[in-house]
Amino acid sequence: PRSDCVAAEQLCLSDSTCNATYRILENCALAKTHFLPLDHDSRVRCLNAELDLGNSSLLHCKCHRRMKRQEHCLRVFWTVHSSMTDGYFNLETSPYENPANEEHWKTDYNKLAALLSGKDCSQLAGDATNPCLKATHVCNLSKKCVRLRTDYASICTKGAGSEDMCDRRKCHRGLRNFFEKVPEDFTKRILFCPCQDELCGERRRKTIVPDCSFQYNTKPNCLWLLDSCLEDHICKSRLADFQQNCQPADMSPDGCSQHNHAACLQAYMGMIGTPMTPNYVSNSSVEVSLWCTCESSGNQKEKCDQILGMFESNKCL
């Protein structure tokens, strides 16, 4: 089995040869993160250091979304794989372990309510017309779900409607906490509840408190969003995971090249609470988008359209 990158790093640092190679890679990754140009010799040194790792557990390590030292783990992963991200958009290697399978995502509310026996489940019966309200009531049956949902809601609504802007970074952290720490049986129901009317759709669109987590006063350019994302280890990792698992394919029955739509939805959930947070665009459809525009992209318009298209016109998603 693959080791996690924190354990692999500790193993490497205890070996003098691996330690020296790893230090070179740290400098390479640092230069890349700060967009510092590397001369030819430095680039060769970086590539050789990566090759020198050979069959080291560092080269094959992965991380878990719910692990305690996730940011540290991701930093180690991108230190070792920094040369693989040349160009603007080649994040084909996800640092995360195997994604969810389809079966894992098939859960019904009655079974979930039965697991939480002893709680008041009578309120669920009257929610048939609004699945998003029902999903919220199911969340209220779990102490952890209701606590972490209340946490992010209170952070993300502070400053709304006044001259003070909300604290977007804290709001994003609260959202990531919710989607990482609460079991997916709860989170996916709240985010992907099926709606037949606009009232339900409005509740679904406002799940992530878009005024704070999603919208700016004016739409930034999508390339700016991408740059913000690539400077952040968590966002960069979630984007790599999204690219890997939401790659569209015309001939696939579910529209996904990996033939695992559930893994794509899980990767989409992972983008929430990052600089590239997506959301529903209206109350009356399931279309999603990033809050950005490709106007004034000049000769980079094609690249910009590609970023936006990953969310707006992605068959797999």
Side-chain angles (χ1 to χ4, degrees):
R2 284 189 173 121
S3 66
D4 77 66
C5 294
V6 177
E9 182 192 42
Q10 287 171 344
L11 203 63
C12 175
L13 296 182
S14 64
D15 174 273
S16 57
T17 309
C18 187
N19 191 328
T21 304
Y22 185 64
R23 296 303 179 199
I24 294 170
L25 287 172
E26 279 188 317
N27 290 330
C28 302
L30 198 65
K32 196 134 200 168
T33 304
H34 295 292
F35 300 105
L36 301 173
L38 291 172
D39 58 35
H40 175 72
D41 288 349
S42 298
R43 281 203 302 274
V44 169
R45 192 161 59 247
C46 293
L47 282 168
N48 284 342
E50 200 168 300
L51 290 171
D52 285 345
L53 285 180
N55 289 322
S56 158
S57 56
L58 263 178
L59 206 57
H60 307 288
C61 69
K62 290 278 185 177
C63 302
H64 304 276
R65 272 187 196 80
R66 293 168 185 255
M67 70 189 291
K68 275 186 178 169
R69 299 177 69 191
Q70 184 186 166
E71 285 191 59
H72 182 121
C73 186
L74 296 173
R75 181 177 61 73
V76 176
F77 179 90
W78 291 116
T79 295
V80 176
H81 294 279
S82 65
S83 72
M84 296 175 74
T85 58
D86 266 335
Y88 94 100
F89 219 31
N90 302 323
L91 302 177
E92 277 128 23
T93 308
S94 171
Y96 290 112
E97 270 295 359
N98 291 340
N101 58 45
E102 298 286 351
E103 284 305 311
H104 172 64
W105 275 56
K106 289 175 184 168
T107 314
D108 69 57
Y109 284 125
N110 294 334
K111 185 175 156 195
L112 199 56
L115 290 173
L116 298 158
S117 57
K119 309 272 181 143
D120 177 18
C121 302
S122 58
Q123 59 186 346
L124 298 181
D127 297 332
T129 55
N130 191 336
C132 290
L133 187 60
K134 184 175 182 178
T136 306
H137 284 161
V138 170
C139 174
N140 291 342
L141 298 176
S142 158
K143 279 183 185 172
K144 186 181 236 182
C145 187
V146 75
R147 176 172 57 81
L148 290 173
R149 186 170 166 272
T150 305
D151 280 356
Y152 85 70
S154 64
I155 295 165
C156 299
T157 47
K158 266 183 193 159
S162 71
E163 287 180 15
D164 301 322
M165 288 297 290
C166 71
D167 191 326
R168 190 182 301 269
R169 285 175 76 90
K170 278 189 179 173
C171 174
H172 279 169
R173 200 181 309 128
L175 280 165
R176 288 202 310 274
N177 251 344
F178 176 73
F179 285 106
E180 281 172 24
K181 293 180 179 174
V182 175
E184 283 172 2
D185 283 337
F186 296 102
T187 55
K188 67 178 189 259
R189 301 292 168 188
I190 285 176
L191 194 63
F192 302 125
C193 41
C195 289
Q196 301 298 320
D197 60 56
E198 291 205 11
L199 196 69
C200 176
E202 172 75 348
R203 191 177 187 97
R204 181 174 60 191
R205 192 179 64 81
K206 289 202 166 166
T207 295
I208 66 165
V209 197
D211 288 351
C212 184
S213 69
F214 177 67
Q215 290 171 213
Y216 294 77
N217 289 335
T218 54
K219 282 189 177 183
N221 188 281
C222 300
L223 295 167
W224 179 83
L225 271 194
L226 178 68
D227 285 345
S228 304
C229 184
L230 295 181
E231 287 173 17
D232 176 286
H233 280 123
I234 286 186
C235 188
K236 181 180 178 179
S237 301
R238 302 297 171 83
L239 181 60
D241 199 49
F242 181 80
Q243 278 191 281
Q244 179 177 297
N245 290 302
C246 294
Q247 201 66 248
D250 288 337
M251 302 304 287
S252 174
D254 62 1
C256 304
S257 65
Q258 300 280 328
H259 309 294
N260 192 343
H261 185 237
C264 175
L265 293 182
Q266 187 186 46
Y268 172 87
M269 282 203 316
M271 294 300 300
I272 294 169
T274 71
M276 285 181 76
T277 294
N279 196 27
Y280 296 99
V281 294
S282 76
N283 304 339
S284 52
S285 78
V286 288
E287 284 178 44
V288 297
S289 181
L290 297 172
W291 183 261
C292 63
T293 176
C294 284
E295 288 172 24
S296 312
S297 294
N299 61 0
Q300 290 191 301
K301 182 148 190 333
E302 194 178 331
K303 184 198 289 188
C304 187
D305 287 338
Q306 198 179 346
I307 297 161
L308 202 51
M310 280 201 309
F311 294 87
E312 283 191 345
S313 50
N314 186 329
K315 280 186 180 179
C316 175
L317 182 62

